[in-house]
Amino acid sequence: MNSNLRPKLREIVSELTRLKDILSAAIVRRDGLVIAHDLPTESDARKIAAMSAAIVGTGEMAAEELEHGRFLRSIIESDVGKILSTGAGPEAILVTLVRRDGNLGLVLMALEKAARKAGSLVTQGGAGVEVS
Amino acid sequence: MEHLMSDLQKAMKAVRQVPGITAVAIVRRDGIVIDHLLPKPVDARLVAAMTAAIVGTSEMATEELYHGKFLQSIVESEKGKVISVGAGDEALVVALVEPATNLGLALMTIEKQAAKVGDILAAC
């Protein structure tokens, strides 16, 4: 177990939220448990983790049923903003809340880079032990 | 009624004119097909059911996260995207899109036609 894993993952999350278009970010397990987050409260993080696991689960089902290959990402737009859920390796999901008028192109670029980094860290470190 | 269906067809054809959009359907929020322009091998009922599932989960997420009303959802996968946009209170417009499509153009067109579909369905 890499003892630096937690601060490293936390750093990925903070780096994302430094972009002004990204309101908050979290790295969660595909089963809906939190790994690392940048949200005001633990209960907010747990809710986002649960919701993004539901979103990704449904997205995976749809991609499979429609023979669209492997699920990559889901973008949900609402009145207030966007919820972006991207796969981060086989075990984790990177989820971000984005401003309604945010620059999606820029956000997606940052997100893909962060997801790759988080994915390889989680795979190396064993995410299961890191759940808070 | 026939007038209605031809108006819906017109809206779907406008969407499918965008290069890279391979299929379009108008479905009810409960997963029942209203009309579609899908290529033969694609099962319209399956598309409608999957869209309702995606939108149902998305609506739950936006509500739980206090994100206001659900507007649209994009599911990206290796072989393309599934774009689901609300069309009035009762319906959704769903489009299947190839991976390398101009997403900005696709979204602009789908949103415009979805608003039209919403109006057409509200008037009947």
Side-chain angles (χ1 to χ4, degrees), chain A residues 32-73:
Chain A
L33 295 173
V34 184
I35 297 172
H37 69 89
D38 189 359
L39 288 136
T41 69
E42 199 61 37
S43 74
D44 288 341
R46 285 170 64 180
K47 206 173 216 178
I48 283 178
M51 289 302 129
S52 54
I55 292 164
V56 170
T58 314
E60 277 177 339
M61 175 185 73
E64 190 175 314
E65 289 287 336
L66 299 173
E67 291 164 20
H68 256 209
R70 204 164 48 90
F71 168 86
L72 298 176
R73 181 170 32 247

mmCIF file of all heavy atoms in Angstrom, chain A residues 32-73:
data_model
loop_
_atom_site.group_PDB
_atom_site.id
_atom_site.type_symbol
_atom_site.label_atom_id
_atom_site.label_comp_id
_atom_site.label_asym_id
_atom_site.label_seq_id
_atom_site.Cartn_x
_atom_site.Cartn_y
_atom_site.Cartn_z
ATOM 1 N N GLY A 32 -19.641 3.051 -5.840
ATOM 2 C CA GLY A 32 -20.305 4.190 -5.207
ATOM 3 C C GLY A 32 -19.684 4.658 -3.894
ATOM 4 O O GLY A 32 -20.276 5.481 -3.189
ATOM 5 N N LEU A 33 -18.490 4.137 -3.552
ATOM 6 C CA LEU A 33 -17.822 4.612 -2.325
ATOM 7 C C LEU A 33 -16.794 5.686 -2.673
ATOM 8 O O LEU A 33 -16.183 5.655 -3.741
ATOM 9 C CB LEU A 33 -17.136 3.441 -1.612
ATOM 10 C CG LEU A 33 -18.088 2.374 -1.070
ATOM 11 C CD1 LEU A 33 -17.303 1.188 -0.531
ATOM 12 C CD2 LEU A 33 -18.988 2.940 0.023
ATOM 13 N N VAL A 34 -16.593 6.614 -1.738
ATOM 14 C CA VAL A 34 -15.698 7.751 -1.984
ATOM 15 C C VAL A 34 -14.231 7.342 -1.828
ATOM 16 O O VAL A 34 -13.892 6.608 -0.905
ATOM 17 C CB VAL A 34 -15.991 8.886 -0.976
ATOM 18 C CG1 VAL A 34 -15.135 10.099 -1.288
ATOM 19 C CG2 VAL A 34 -17.462 9.258 -1.000
ATOM 20 N N ILE A 35 -13.356 7.812 -2.704
ATOM 21 C CA ILE A 35 -11.912 7.609 -2.542
ATOM 22 C C ILE A 35 -11.260 8.928 -2.118
ATOM 23 O O ILE A 35 -10.570 8.990 -1.110
ATOM 24 C CB ILE A 35 -11.266 7.077 -3.849
ATOM 25 C CG1 ILE A 35 -11.836 5.710 -4.219
ATOM 26 C CG2 ILE A 35 -9.758 6.973 -3.672
ATOM 27 C CD1 ILE A 35 -11.407 5.188 -5.578
ATOM 28 N N ALA A 36 -11.464 9.981 -2.893
ATOM 29 C CA ALA A 36 -10.920 11.306 -2.547
ATOM 30 C C ALA A 36 -11.881 12.363 -3.074
ATOM 31 O O ALA A 36 -12.524 12.151 -4.099
ATOM 32 C CB ALA A 36 -9.545 11.489 -3.179
ATOM 33 N N HIS A 37 -11.989 13.492 -2.378
ATOM 34 C CA HIS A 37 -12.930 14.505 -2.857
ATOM 35 C C HIS A 37 -12.559 15.901 -2.394
ATOM 36 O O HIS A 37 -11.690 16.079 -1.538
ATOM 37 C CB HIS A 37 -14.349 14.174 -2.379
ATOM 38 C CG HIS A 37 -14.533 14.323 -0.897
ATOM 39 N ND1 HIS A 37 -14.917 15.503 -0.323
ATOM 40 C CD2 HIS A 37 -14.375 13.446 0.112
ATOM 41 C CE1 HIS A 37 -15.001 15.344 0.982
ATOM 42 N NE2 HIS A 37 -14.670 14.108 1.267
ATOM 43 N N ASP A 38 -13.250 16.864 -2.978
ATOM 44 C CA ASP A 38 -13.016 18.259 -2.666
ATOM 45 C C ASP A 38 -14.375 18.930 -2.467
ATOM 46 O O ASP A 38 -14.705 19.893 -3.123
ATOM 47 C CB ASP A 38 -12.249 18.903 -3.829
ATOM 48 C CG ASP A 38 -11.781 20.297 -3.500
ATOM 49 O OD1 ASP A 38 -12.067 20.747 -2.382
ATOM 50 O OD2 ASP A 38 -11.156 20.935 -4.359
ATOM 51 N N LEU A 39 -15.159 18.355 -1.584
ATOM 52 C CA LEU A 39 -16.509 18.863 -1.344
ATOM 53 C C LEU A 39 -16.608 19.345 0.091
ATOM 54 O O LEU A 39 -15.870 18.877 0.951
ATOM 55 C CB LEU A 39 -17.529 17.758 -1.600
ATOM 56 C CG LEU A 39 -17.666 17.462 -3.097
ATOM 57 C CD1 LEU A 39 -17.688 15.987 -3.353
ATOM 58 C CD2 LEU A 39 -18.894 18.147 -3.656
ATOM 59 N N PRO A 40 -17.526 20.296 0.338
ATOM 60 C CA PRO A 40 -17.596 20.877 1.681
ATOM 61 C C PRO A 40 -17.872 19.849 2.786
ATOM 62 O O PRO A 40 -17.303 19.948 3.865
ATOM 63 C CB PRO A 40 -18.725 21.903 1.578
ATOM 64 C CG PRO A 40 -19.348 21.732 0.237
ATOM 65 C CD PRO A 40 -18.412 20.964 -0.614
ATOM 66 N N THR A 41 -18.709 18.876 2.545
ATOM 67 C CA THR A 41 -18.983 17.902 3.614
ATOM 68 C C THR A 41 -18.857 16.474 3.104
ATOM 69 O O THR A 41 -18.959 16.213 1.912
ATOM 70 C CB THR A 41 -20.407 18.065 4.194
ATOM 71 O OG1 THR A 41 -21.344 17.645 3.186
ATOM 72 C CG2 THR A 41 -20.713 19.491 4.601
ATOM 73 N N GLU A 42 -18.672 15.571 4.070
ATOM 74 C CA GLU A 42 -18.547 14.152 3.749
ATOM 75 C C GLU A 42 -19.851 13.622 3.139
ATOM 76 O O GLU A 42 -19.834 12.792 2.244
ATOM 77 C CB GLU A 42 -18.207 13.385 5.033
ATOM 78 C CG GLU A 42 -17.604 12.018 4.812
ATOM 79 C CD GLU A 42 -16.283 12.053 4.044
ATOM 80 O OE1 GLU A 42 -15.466 12.998 4.247
ATOM 81 O OE2 GLU A 42 -16.079 11.149 3.233
ATOM 82 N N SER A 43 -20.978 14.149 3.619
ATOM 83 C CA SER A 43 -22.248 13.623 3.103
ATOM 84 C C SER A 43 -22.479 14.060 1.654
ATOM 85 O O SER A 43 -23.045 13.316 0.862
ATOM 86 C CB SER A 43 -23.418 14.028 3.992
ATOM 87 O OG SER A 43 -23.720 15.381 3.810
ATOM 88 N N ASP A 44 -22.001 15.268 1.305
ATOM 89 C CA ASP A 44 -22.072 15.688 -0.104
ATOM 90 C C ASP A 44 -21.274 14.720 -0.976
ATOM 91 O O ASP A 44 -21.711 14.318 -2.045
ATOM 92 C CB ASP A 44 -21.454 17.092 -0.285
ATOM 93 C CG ASP A 44 -22.334 18.177 0.301
ATOM 94 O OD1 ASP A 44 -23.528 17.908 0.506
ATOM 95 O OD2 ASP A 44 -21.811 19.284 0.541
ATOM 96 N N ALA A 45 -20.081 14.376 -0.497
ATOM 97 C CA ALA A 45 -19.203 13.500 -1.266
ATOM 98 C C ALA A 45 -19.841 12.127 -1.436
ATOM 99 O O ALA A 45 -19.795 11.531 -2.516
ATOM 100 C CB ALA A 45 -17.858 13.377 -0.569
ATOM 101 N N ARG A 46 -20.475 11.644 -0.359
ATOM 102 C CA ARG A 46 -21.089 10.311 -0.445
ATOM 103 C C ARG A 46 -22.243 10.304 -1.431
ATOM 104 O O ARG A 46 -22.460 9.335 -2.148
ATOM 105 C CB ARG A 46 -21.542 9.859 0.942
ATOM 106 C CG ARG A 46 -20.358 9.438 1.788
ATOM 107 C CD ARG A 46 -20.716 9.210 3.210
ATOM 108 N NE ARG A 46 -21.657 8.111 3.380
ATOM 109 C CZ ARG A 46 -22.119 7.716 4.555
ATOM 110 N NH1 ARG A 46 -21.732 8.335 5.651
ATOM 111 N NH2 ARG A 46 -22.962 6.734 4.647
ATOM 112 N N LYS A 47 -22.975 11.409 -1.445
ATOM 113 C CA LYS A 47 -24.109 11.504 -2.369
ATOM 114 C C LYS A 47 -23.618 11.525 -3.823
ATOM 115 O O LYS A 47 -24.145 10.819 -4.678
ATOM 116 C CB LYS A 47 -24.884 12.789 -2.071
ATOM 117 C CG LYS A 47 -26.321 12.722 -2.466
ATOM 118 C CD LYS A 47 -27.020 13.959 -1.975
ATOM 119 C CE LYS A 47 -28.428 13.666 -1.539
ATOM 120 N NZ LYS A 47 -29.102 14.856 -1.021
ATOM 121 N N ILE A 48 -22.598 12.334 -4.069
ATOM 122 C CA ILE A 48 -22.058 12.417 -5.423
ATOM 123 C C ILE A 48 -21.489 11.071 -5.867
ATOM 124 O O ILE A 48 -21.680 10.645 -7.002
ATOM 125 C CB ILE A 48 -21.000 13.543 -5.509
ATOM 126 C CG1 ILE A 48 -21.730 14.879 -5.565
ATOM 127 C CG2 ILE A 48 -20.086 13.381 -6.714
ATOM 128 C CD1 ILE A 48 -20.865 16.076 -5.599
ATOM 129 N N ALA A 49 -20.817 10.383 -4.951
ATOM 130 C CA ALA A 49 -20.261 9.069 -5.279
ATOM 131 C C ALA A 49 -21.377 8.106 -5.663
ATOM 132 O O ALA A 49 -21.288 7.394 -6.674
ATOM 133 C CB ALA A 49 -19.469 8.539 -4.094
ATOM 134 N N ALA A 50 -22.443 8.116 -4.864
ATOM 135 C CA ALA A 50 -23.559 7.208 -5.150
ATOM 136 C C ALA A 50 -24.218 7.548 -6.480
ATOM 137 O O ALA A 50 -24.516 6.664 -7.289
ATOM 138 C CB ALA A 50 -24.578 7.278 -4.016
ATOM 139 N N MET A 51 -24.417 8.847 -6.713
ATOM 140 C CA MET A 51 -25.083 9.269 -7.945
ATOM 141 C C MET A 51 -24.233 8.945 -9.169
ATOM 142 O O MET A 51 -24.741 8.495 -10.186
ATOM 143 C CB MET A 51 -25.381 10.778 -7.908
ATOM 144 C CG MET A 51 -26.477 11.153 -6.953
ATOM 145 S SD MET A 51 -27.997 10.287 -7.364
ATOM 146 C CE MET A 51 -28.430 9.605 -5.793
ATOM 147 N N SER A 52 -22.904 9.185 -9.080
ATOM 148 C CA SER A 52 -22.101 8.934 -10.275
ATOM 149 C C SER A 52 -21.975 7.435 -10.543
ATOM 150 O O SER A 52 -21.911 7.025 -11.701
ATOM 151 C CB SER A 52 -20.738 9.613 -10.200
ATOM 152 O OG SER A 52 -20.100 9.245 -9.045
ATOM 153 N N ALA A 53 -21.993 6.622 -9.493
ATOM 154 C CA ALA A 53 -21.980 5.175 -9.733
ATOM 155 C C ALA A 53 -23.264 4.757 -10.451
ATOM 156 O O ALA A 53 -23.230 3.916 -11.357
ATOM 157 C CB ALA A 53 -21.836 4.417 -8.415
ATOM 158 N N ALA A 54 -24.390 5.367 -10.074
ATOM 159 C CA ALA A 54 -25.666 5.060 -10.744
ATOM 160 C C ALA A 54 -25.618 5.506 -12.206
ATOM 161 O O ALA A 54 -26.025 4.779 -13.111
ATOM 162 C CB ALA A 54 -26.825 5.740 -10.020
ATOM 163 N N ILE A 55 -25.082 6.718 -12.428
ATOM 164 C CA ILE A 55 -24.996 7.259 -13.795
ATOM 165 C C ILE A 55 -24.115 6.360 -14.665
ATOM 166 O O ILE A 55 -24.493 5.979 -15.771
ATOM 167 C CB ILE A 55 -24.407 8.695 -13.774
ATOM 168 C CG1 ILE A 55 -25.395 9.663 -13.112
ATOM 169 C CG2 ILE A 55 -24.056 9.164 -15.179
ATOM 170 C CD1 ILE A 55 -24.767 10.988 -12.705
ATOM 171 N N VAL A 56 -22.941 5.999 -14.135
ATOM 172 C CA VAL A 56 -22.015 5.191 -14.917
ATOM 173 C C VAL A 56 -22.578 3.788 -15.148
ATOM 174 O O VAL A 56 -22.454 3.219 -16.241
ATOM 175 C CB VAL A 56 -20.628 5.136 -14.233
ATOM 176 C CG1 VAL A 56 -19.724 4.114 -14.891
ATOM 177 C CG2 VAL A 56 -19.978 6.511 -14.289
ATOM 178 N N GLY A 57 -23.244 3.253 -14.147
ATOM 179 C CA GLY A 57 -23.871 1.938 -14.300
ATOM 180 C C GLY A 57 -24.879 1.935 -15.441
ATOM 181 O O GLY A 57 -24.854 1.049 -16.303
ATOM 182 N N THR A 58 -25.744 2.951 -15.452
ATOM 183 C CA THR A 58 -26.746 3.046 -16.523
ATOM 184 C C THR A 58 -26.075 3.282 -17.867
ATOM 185 O O THR A 58 -26.462 2.696 -18.881
ATOM 186 C CB THR A 58 -27.735 4.196 -16.243
ATOM 187 O OG1 THR A 58 -28.146 4.114 -14.890
ATOM 188 C CG2 THR A 58 -28.948 4.100 -17.140
ATOM 189 N N GLY A 59 -25.062 4.157 -17.888
ATOM 190 C CA GLY A 59 -24.330 4.439 -19.132
ATOM 191 C C GLY A 59 -23.673 3.195 -19.692
ATOM 192 O O GLY A 59 -23.714 2.944 -20.899
ATOM 193 N N GLU A 60 -23.097 2.385 -18.803
ATOM 194 C CA GLU A 60 -22.450 1.145 -19.245
ATOM 195 C C GLU A 60 -23.465 0.183 -19.830
ATOM 196 O O GLU A 60 -23.220 -0.461 -20.847
ATOM 197 C CB GLU A 60 -21.729 0.483 -18.063
ATOM 198 C CG GLU A 60 -20.365 1.088 -17.844
ATOM 199 C CD GLU A 60 -19.647 0.508 -16.633
ATOM 200 O OE1 GLU A 60 -20.329 -0.045 -15.745
ATOM 201 O OE2 GLU A 60 -18.419 0.635 -16.581
ATOM 202 N N MET A 61 -24.620 0.110 -19.164
ATOM 203 C CA MET A 61 -25.676 -0.769 -19.666
ATOM 204 C C MET A 61 -26.098 -0.320 -21.069
ATOM 205 O O MET A 61 -26.210 -1.131 -21.986
ATOM 206 C CB MET A 61 -26.873 -0.749 -18.719
ATOM 207 C CG MET A 61 -28.057 -1.549 -19.236
ATOM 208 S SD MET A 61 -29.514 -1.419 -18.181
ATOM 209 C CE MET A 61 -30.060 0.244 -18.533
ATOM 210 N N ALA A 62 -26.313 1.003 -21.229
ATOM 211 C CA ALA A 62 -26.766 1.521 -22.522
ATOM 212 C C ALA A 62 -25.707 1.279 -23.603
ATOM 213 O O ALA A 62 -26.026 0.849 -24.715
ATOM 214 C CB ALA A 62 -27.092 3.008 -22.413
ATOM 215 N N ALA A 63 -24.445 1.554 -23.289
ATOM 216 C CA ALA A 63 -23.372 1.361 -24.275
ATOM 217 C C ALA A 63 -23.318 -0.098 -24.715
ATOM 218 O O ALA A 63 -23.160 -0.405 -25.897
ATOM 219 C CB ALA A 63 -22.032 1.795 -23.683
ATOM 220 N N GLU A 64 -23.482 -0.998 -23.738
ATOM 221 C CA GLU A 64 -23.414 -2.420 -24.055
ATOM 222 C C GLU A 64 -24.622 -2.856 -24.893
ATOM 223 O O GLU A 64 -24.482 -3.494 -25.926
ATOM 224 C CB GLU A 64 -23.356 -3.209 -22.744
ATOM 225 C CG GLU A 64 -23.035 -4.666 -22.939
ATOM 226 C CD GLU A 64 -22.858 -5.372 -21.603
ATOM 227 O OE1 GLU A 64 -22.147 -4.812 -20.728
ATOM 228 O OE2 GLU A 64 -23.451 -6.425 -21.425
ATOM 229 N N GLU A 65 -25.819 -2.469 -24.439
ATOM 230 C CA GLU A 65 -27.047 -2.888 -25.137
ATOM 231 C C GLU A 65 -27.100 -2.341 -26.560
ATOM 232 O O GLU A 65 -27.610 -2.989 -27.463
ATOM 233 C CB GLU A 65 -28.283 -2.407 -24.369
ATOM 234 C CG GLU A 65 -28.529 -3.133 -23.057
ATOM 235 C CD GLU A 65 -29.037 -4.551 -23.276
ATOM 236 O OE1 GLU A 65 -29.619 -4.815 -24.338
ATOM 237 O OE2 GLU A 65 -28.839 -5.390 -22.382
ATOM 238 N N LEU A 66 -26.598 -1.124 -26.750
ATOM 239 C CA LEU A 66 -26.650 -0.517 -28.087
ATOM 240 C C LEU A 66 -25.400 -0.857 -28.911
ATOM 241 O O LEU A 66 -25.174 -0.293 -29.972
ATOM 242 C CB LEU A 66 -26.817 1.005 -27.968
ATOM 243 C CG LEU A 66 -28.098 1.462 -27.257
ATOM 244 C CD1 LEU A 66 -28.086 2.964 -27.026
ATOM 245 C CD2 LEU A 66 -29.332 1.076 -28.054
ATOM 246 N N GLU A 67 -24.594 -1.754 -28.389
ATOM 247 C CA GLU A 67 -23.363 -2.215 -29.046
ATOM 248 C C GLU A 67 -22.474 -1.037 -29.446
ATOM 249 O O GLU A 67 -22.034 -0.925 -30.580
ATOM 250 C CB GLU A 67 -23.710 -3.105 -30.242
ATOM 251 C CG GLU A 67 -24.306 -4.420 -29.773
ATOM 252 C CD GLU A 67 -25.021 -5.195 -30.855
ATOM 253 O OE1 GLU A 67 -24.760 -4.924 -32.028
ATOM 254 O OE2 GLU A 67 -25.828 -6.064 -30.500
ATOM 255 N N HIS A 68 -22.271 -0.151 -28.459
ATOM 256 C CA HIS A 68 -21.480 1.055 -28.693
ATOM 257 C C HIS A 68 -20.067 0.937 -28.121
ATOM 258 O O HIS A 68 -19.396 1.937 -27.910
ATOM 259 C CB HIS A 68 -22.181 2.259 -28.054
ATOM 260 C CG HIS A 68 -22.863 3.140 -29.044
ATOM 261 N ND1 HIS A 68 -23.043 4.475 -28.859
ATOM 262 C CD2 HIS A 68 -23.401 2.861 -30.246
ATOM 263 C CE1 HIS A 68 -23.667 4.970 -29.907
ATOM 264 N NE2 HIS A 68 -23.905 4.018 -30.749
ATOM 265 N N GLY A 69 -19.634 -0.273 -27.817
ATOM 266 C CA GLY A 69 -18.289 -0.454 -27.264
ATOM 267 C C GLY A 69 -18.232 -0.098 -25.786
ATOM 268 O O GLY A 69 -19.250 0.002 -25.117
ATOM 269 N N ARG A 70 -17.026 0.110 -25.286
ATOM 270 C CA ARG A 70 -16.793 0.379 -23.874
ATOM 271 C C ARG A 70 -17.289 1.774 -23.494
ATOM 272 O O ARG A 70 -17.096 2.725 -24.246
ATOM 273 C CB ARG A 70 -15.283 0.286 -23.626
ATOM 274 C CG ARG A 70 -14.850 -0.034 -22.222
ATOM 275 C CD ARG A 70 -13.385 -0.483 -22.213
ATOM 276 N NE ARG A 70 -12.538 0.445 -22.991
ATOM 277 C CZ ARG A 70 -11.940 1.507 -22.482
ATOM 278 N NH1 ARG A 70 -12.062 1.796 -21.201
ATOM 279 N NH2 ARG A 70 -11.194 2.279 -23.233
ATOM 280 N N PHE A 71 -17.922 1.897 -22.326
ATOM 281 C CA PHE A 71 -18.365 3.206 -21.834
ATOM 282 C C PHE A 71 -17.152 4.081 -21.520
ATOM 283 O O PHE A 71 -16.189 3.608 -20.929
ATOM 284 C CB PHE A 71 -19.203 3.008 -20.563
ATOM 285 C CG PHE A 71 -19.480 4.280 -19.815
ATOM 286 C CD1 PHE A 71 -20.560 5.078 -20.156
ATOM 287 C CD2 PHE A 71 -18.658 4.684 -18.773
ATOM 288 C CE1 PHE A 71 -20.815 6.261 -19.471
ATOM 289 C CE2 PHE A 71 -18.904 5.853 -18.080
ATOM 290 C CZ PHE A 71 -19.989 6.643 -18.434
ATOM 291 N N LEU A 72 -17.205 5.342 -21.924
ATOM 292 C CA LEU A 72 -16.093 6.251 -21.637
ATOM 293 C C LEU A 72 -16.480 7.355 -20.663
ATOM 294 O O LEU A 72 -15.776 7.630 -19.706
ATOM 295 C CB LEU A 72 -15.578 6.881 -22.932
ATOM 296 C CG LEU A 72 -14.997 5.932 -23.993
ATOM 297 C CD1 LEU A 72 -14.619 6.696 -25.237
ATOM 298 C CD2 LEU A 72 -13.803 5.173 -23.446
ATOM 299 N N ARG A 73 -17.649 7.978 -20.898
ATOM 300 C CA ARG A 73 -17.957 9.183 -20.138
ATOM 301 C C ARG A 73 -19.433 9.516 -20.238
ATOM 302 O O ARG A 73 -20.083 9.174 -21.225
ATOM 303 C CB ARG A 73 -17.142 10.309 -20.753
ATOM 304 C CG ARG A 73 -17.266 11.647 -20.120
ATOM 305 C CD ARG A 73 -16.243 12.652 -20.636
ATOM 306 N NE ARG A 73 -15.856 12.471 -22.011
ATOM 307 C CZ ARG A 73 -14.655 12.115 -22.407
ATOM 308 N NH1 ARG A 73 -13.712 11.902 -21.543
ATOM 309 N NH2 ARG A 73 -14.372 11.975 -23.686
#
